[in-house]
Amino acid sequence: MIAIAVPPSTRPGVGGVLHVPDDRTRERELVVSAQRGHREAFGELVRTHQRRAYAVARAIVLDHHDAEDAVQEGFLHAYRALARFRPGEPFGAWLHRIVANAALDLQRRRKVRTASVLPETIALPFRDPAESDELRRRLSAALEQLPERQRSVIVLHDVEGFRHSEIGEMLGIPEGTARSDLHHARATLRRMLSDTRSDT
Amino acid sequence: MSDDLRIEPQDPRITAALRALLAPPADPAYWSALETGILARLAEDEDWTAPFARWTGVGLIAAALAALVAGAALVRSHEVEAREMATLLETPVSFTARVAAEVTEPDGREATLRYVIEP
């Protein structure tokens, strides 16, 4: 049993860094506890970071099931490497690098399949069904056309709100390359979807 | 963002569609199941590696013992060698052994002289 109490889960801020000092202290305690072999503490870290880890993986592999596999692999690698992690550093950023590597590895092995059908549980904002269906279908196709790295960068930046430096670290590319990839990805998607039926 | 000034501006319609397309599942049950799955895999991984971890421990102990035994044997062989050497030095060399040594191992100059003098 771990000695520390487990409060309700908190969602990490942008980039997986916890912004509230109490959360950082709490995370540090959990990491130290997990390093001492308390699996409950690691379970709490999983609970806190799995959504963000999923988003990172999904940005790279696109497919829901592949993203899930990458998240599982990532947490497994993180657990094995936990002894090497320095508790003072942000756990989220470290974990995201591991998950991104797991996703890139999975992508290399399987290559990208077509973007999967969304699970029924996903909450979508209300839109005109015809417009939203057409845009979604064409966006899926356009994402398939984008170079893999550009696709990951645009999703990590525009959807998940990661900074260029964080994206660079995750994907193992210079910050400038992440910026350039974002520029090209946005331009390509805009061009490819320019004739899609609009809301207005 | 200031560092995004030279970058193609974001298209809110595309960004919204991307968010919708790639949004993580909203159902808390999904996340509970994923967490359970991850922890189950950790447990499996530990179960699978635990025997190896034990073997590693046993292997390390065995290696340490072997190193100790080898060290002790080395020290002992040095002691025996030193004792034998001391015994050898303390033993007086007999006259015949000294002559035999002289005969079997002639000095180079003497050998040359003999070769020149002898018919």
Side-chain angles (χ1 to χ4, degrees), chain A:
Chain A
M1 277 295 284
I2 49 171
I4 43 179
V6 179
S9 300
T10 49
R11 190 183 185 281
V14 170
V17 179
L18 298 170
H19 294 298
V20 184
D22 281 353
D23 285 347
R24 277 193 171 178
T25 311
R26 169 81 188 135
E27 183 170 88
R28 197 190 163 107
E29 284 171 356
L30 285 171
V31 168
V32 171
S33 184
Q35 283 177 329
R36 288 178 186 151
H38 296 128
R39 209 181 293 161
E40 299 93 332
F42 193 76
E44 178 63 17
L45 288 169
V46 170
R47 214 168 303 143
T48 309
H49 291 278
Q50 60 182 356
R51 282 171 191 262
R52 201 85 170 124
Y54 171 90
V56 169
R58 187 84 195 263
I60 295 166
V61 294
L62 280 193
D63 180 84
H64 168 71
H65 298 290
D66 283 351
E68 202 176 273
D69 286 350
V71 169
Q72 291 204 5
E73 280 298 314
F75 274 110
L76 203 62
H77 288 314
Y79 189 70
R80 287 178 191 149
L82 203 57
R84 294 198 294 275
F85 176 72
R86 281 173 288 183
E89 290 177 4
F91 181 78
W94 180 71
L95 176 74
H96 295 155
R97 278 198 298 276
I98 294 174
V99 170
N101 277 332
L104 288 167
D105 192 42
L106 198 72
Q107 190 183 48
R108 272 192 290 270
R109 279 187 278 133
R110 292 190 191 176
K111 284 290 160 192
V112 179
R113 297 197 298 259
T114 50
S116 63
V117 178
L118 289 169
E120 286 175 9
T121 51
I122 291 178
L124 294 172
F126 176 77
R127 281 176 186 278
D128 169 19
E131 184 272 334
S132 117
D133 278 354
E134 189 193 349
L135 181 59
R136 226 168 76 182
R137 198 175 51 250
R138 293 196 59 186
L139 181 61
S140 287
L143 282 174
E144 293 289 330
Q145 299 295 313
L146 276 185
E148 290 169 1
R149 204 182 62 205
Q150 285 185 20
R151 190 181 57 218
S152 302
V153 170
I154 193 172
V155 175
L156 288 169
H157 189 277
D158 288 356
V159 178
E160 297 305 324
F162 284 104
R163 290 189 295 268
H164 294 297
S165 56
E166 293 170 324
I167 295 169
E169 270 189 32
M170 273 188 256
L171 301 181
I173 55 174
E175 203 179 313
T177 307
R179 273 203 191 86
S180 154
D181 279 349
L182 178 66
H183 170 79
H184 291 297
R186 279 179 180 171
T188 307
L189 285 186
R190 192 192 296 273
R191 197 176 57 247
M192 290 173 98
L193 302 170
S194 60
D195 58 344
T196 310
R197 202 176 126 188
S198 166
D199 275 330
T200 51

